Amino acid sequence: MNQQVKFQRALMLADRKQFEKAEALLREVVDADPSTVVGCQAAVALGELVSFADPDAAQDILDAAVENMAPHADNPVLDWERQRVEELFAEIAEA
């Protein structure tokens, strides 16, 4: 299964509230190559998922995602991800 398919499957699992399975797939995608566009997308989704249980771990995941998104500054696919990271940072700061 390629990384894009794993990412889409993880989102589907999260929508179905199968959070442990979603987290495992997202970690697989991020671990495979966090510097790709899909790796960055998966890292943001993973950070959001983890933020509910462990804000400190989520902060680390999201910090890494921001670093990995830097080479993709002109990629519009990641615009929403950048915005979501900022929202998640604000939510974590309030927690």
Side-chain angles (χ1 to χ4, degrees):
M1 189 177 339
N2 75 35
Q3 302 311 313
Q4 183 66 38
V5 172
K6 284 183 185 179
F7 173 62
Q8 293 297 324
R9 181 167 167 73
L11 295 181
M12 178 200 64
L13 289 167
D15 284 344
R16 294 181 179 175
K17 301 190 182 343
Q18 295 180 10
F19 301 121
E20 289 178 13
K21 290 179 182 179
E23 181 179 345
L25 272 179
L26 289 169
R27 286 188 189 279
E28 281 183 36
V29 175
V30 172
D31 290 346
D33 190 351
S35 64
T36 63
V37 170
V38 72
C40 294
Q41 290 175 296
V44 174
L46 179 61
E48 182 172 6
L49 191 60
V50 171
S51 71
F52 297 106
D54 189 349
D56 292 332
Q59 180 78 39
D60 293 341
I61 292 166
L62 294 170
D63 285 338
V66 169
E67 286 181 33
N68 288 320
M69 282 191 270
H72 305 287
D74 296 332
N75 190 323
V77 172
L78 294 178
D79 287 346
W80 186 90
E81 306 299 340
R82 288 183 191 88
Q83 179 182 354
R84 186 64 187 136
V85 166
E86 293 304 317
E87 293 168 359
L88 291 167
F89 282 153
E91 290 174 17
I92 290 169
E94 291 175 5

